[in-house]
Coordinates of all heavy atoms in Angstrom, one line a residue:
Chain Z
W83 N 104.6 199.2 90.0 CA 105.2 200.4 90.6 C 106.3 200.0 91.5 O 107.4 200.5 91.4 CB 104.1 201.1 91.4 CG 104.5 202.5 91.9 CD1 104.7 203.6 91.2 CD2 104.6 202.9 93.3 NE1 105.0 204.6 92.0 CE2 104.9 204.2 93.3 CE3 104.5 202.2 94.5 CZ2 105.2 204.9 94.5 CZ3 104.7 202.9 95.7 CH2 105.0 204.3 95.7
W84 N 106.1 199.0 92.4 CA 107.1 198.6 93.3 C 108.3 197.9 92.6 O 109.4 198.2 93.0 CB 106.5 197.7 94.4 CG 105.8 198.4 95.5 CD1 104.5 198.3 95.9 CD2 106.4 199.3 96.5 NE1 104.3 199.0 97.0 CE2 105.4 199.7 97.4 CE3 107.7 199.8 96.7 CZ2 105.6 200.5 98.5 CZ3 107.9 200.7 97.8 CH2 106.9 201.0 98.6
V85 N 108.0 197.1 91.7 CA 109.1 196.4 90.9 C 109.9 197.5 90.3 O 111.2 197.5 90.3 CB 108.6 195.4 89.9 CG1 109.7 194.9 89.1 CG2 107.9 194.3 90.6
G86 N 109.3 198.5 89.7 CA 110.0 199.6 89.0 C 110.9 200.3 89.9 O 112.1 200.5 89.6
I87 N 110.4 200.6 91.1 CA 111.2 201.3 92.1 C 112.5 200.5 92.4 O 113.6 201.1 92.6 CB 110.4 201.6 93.3 CG1 109.4 202.8 93.0 CG2 111.3 202.0 94.5 CD1 108.4 203.0 94.1
G88 N 112.3 199.2 92.4 CA 113.4 198.4 92.7 C 114.6 198.5 91.8 O 115.7 198.2 92.1
H89 N 114.3 198.9 90.5 CA 115.4 198.9 89.5 C 116.6 199.8 89.8 O 117.7 199.5 89.3 CB 114.8 199.2 88.2 CG 114.1 198.0 87.5 ND1 113.2 197.3 88.2 CD2 114.4 197.4 86.3 CE1 112.8 196.3 87.4 NE2 113.5 196.4 86.3
A90 N 116.4 200.9 90.5 CA 117.5 201.8 90.6 C 118.6 201.2 91.4 O 119.8 201.4 91.1 CB 117.0 203.1 91.3
G91 N 118.3 200.4 92.4 CA 119.3 199.8 93.3 C 120.3 199.0 92.5 O 121.5 199.2 92.6
T92 N 119.8 198.1 91.7 CA 120.6 197.2 90.9 C 121.4 198.0 89.8 O 122.5 197.8 89.5 CB 119.8 196.1 90.2 OG1 118.8 195.7 91.2 CG2 120.7 195.0 89.9
L93 N 120.7 199.0 89.3 CA 121.3 199.9 88.3 C 122.5 200.5 88.9 O 123.6 200.5 88.3 CB 120.4 200.9 87.7 CG 120.9 201.5 86.5 CD1 120.4 200.9 85.2 CD2 120.7 203.0 86.4
I94 N 122.4 201.1 90.1 CA 123.5 201.8 90.7 C 124.6 200.8 91.1 O 125.8 201.1 90.7 CB 123.0 202.6 92.0 CG1 122.1 203.7 91.6 CG2 124.2 203.0 92.8 CD1 121.4 204.4 92.7
S95 N 124.3 199.7 91.7 CA 125.3 198.8 92.1 C 126.0 198.0 91.0 O 127.1 197.7 91.1 CB 124.9 197.9 93.3 OG 123.7 197.3 92.9
A96 N 125.2 197.7 90.0 CA 125.7 196.8 88.9 C 126.2 197.6 87.7 O 127.4 197.5 87.3 CB 124.7 195.7 88.5
V97 N 125.3 198.3 87.1 CA 125.6 199.0 85.9 C 126.7 200.1 86.2 O 127.7 200.2 85.4 CB 124.4 199.7 85.3 CG1 124.8 200.4 84.0 CG2 123.3 198.6 85.0
L98 N 126.6 200.8 87.2 CA 127.6 201.8 87.5 C 128.9 201.2 87.9 O 130.0 201.8 87.8 CB 127.1 202.8 88.6 CG 125.9 203.6 88.2 CD1 125.5 204.7 89.2 CD2 126.0 204.3 86.8
L99 N 128.9 200.0 88.4 CA 130.1 199.3 88.7 C 130.9 198.9 87.4 O 132.1 199.1 87.3 CB 129.9 198.0 89.6 CG 131.1 197.3 90.1 CD1 130.8 196.6 91.4 CD2 131.7 196.2 89.2
L100 N 130.1 198.4 86.5 CA 130.7 198.1 85.2 C 131.3 199.3 84.5 O 132.3 199.2 83.9 CB 129.7 197.4 84.3 CG 129.2 196.0 84.7 CD1 128.3 195.4 83.7 CD2 130.3 195.0 85.0
F101 N 130.6 200.4 84.7 CA 131.1 201.7 84.1 C 132.2 202.4 85.0 O 132.6 203.5 84.7 CB 130.0 202.6 83.8 CG 129.2 202.2 82.6 CD1 127.8 201.9 82.7 CD2 129.8 202.2 81.3 CE1 127.1 201.5 81.6 CE2 129.0 201.8 80.2 CZ 127.7 201.4 80.3
R102 N 132.5 201.7 86.1 CA 133.5 202.3 87.0 C 133.2 203.7 87.5 O 134.0 204.6 87.5 CB 134.9 202.3 86.3 CG 135.4 200.9 85.9 CD 135.9 200.1 87.1 NE 136.3 198.8 86.7 CZ 136.2 197.7 87.5 NH1 135.6 197.9 88.7 NH2 136.6 196.5 87.1
Q103 N 131.9 203.9 87.8 CA 131.5 205.2 88.3 C 131.7 205.2 89.8 O 131.0 204.5 90.5 CB 130.0 205.4 88.0 CG 129.7 205.6 86.5 CD 130.4 206.9 85.9 OE1 130.3 208.0 86.5 NE2 131.1 206.7 84.8
K104 N 132.6 206.0 90.2 CA 133.0 206.0 91.7 C 131.9 206.6 92.5 O 131.8 206.3 93.7 CB 134.3 206.8 91.9 CG 135.5 206.1 91.4 CD 136.7 207.0 91.6 CE 137.9 206.4 91.0 NZ 139.0 207.3 91.0
W105 N 131.0 207.4 92.0 CA 130.0 208.1 92.8 C 129.0 207.1 93.3 O 128.2 207.4 94.1 CB 129.4 209.3 92.1 CG 128.7 209.0 90.8 CD1 129.3 208.9 89.6 CD2 127.3 208.8 90.6 NE1 128.3 208.7 88.7 CE2 127.1 208.6 89.3 CE3 126.2 208.7 91.5 CZ2 125.8 208.3 88.7 CZ3 124.9 208.5 90.9 CH2 124.8 208.3 89.6
R106 N 129.0 205.9 92.7 CA 128.0 204.9 93.2 C 128.2 204.5 94.6 O 127.4 204.0 95.3 CB 128.0 203.7 92.3 CG 129.1 202.7 92.6 CD 129.0 201.5 91.8 NE 130.0 200.5 92.4 CZ 131.3 200.5 92.2 NH1 131.8 201.4 91.4 NH2 132.1 199.6 92.7
M107 N 129.5 204.6 95.1 CA 129.9 203.9 96.3 C 129.2 204.4 97.6 O 129.0 203.6 98.5 CB 131.4 203.9 96.5 CG 132.1 203.0 95.4 SD 133.8 203.1 95.6 CE 134.3 202.1 94.2
S108 N 128.9 205.7 97.7 CA 128.3 206.1 98.9 C 126.8 205.8 98.9 O 126.1 205.9 99.9 CB 128.4 207.6 99.1 OG 129.7 208.1 98.6

Side-chain angles (χ1 to χ4, degrees):
Chain Z
W83 189 68
W84 278 118
V85 174
I87 286 171
H89 277 54
T92 321
L93 193 97
I94 289 171
S95 52
V97 181
L98 297 186
L99 188 148
L100 294 183
F101 285 116
R102 301 281 178 214
Q103 292 295 311
K104 290 177 183 169
W105 60 275
R106 79 175 193 282
M107 288 178 185
S108 322

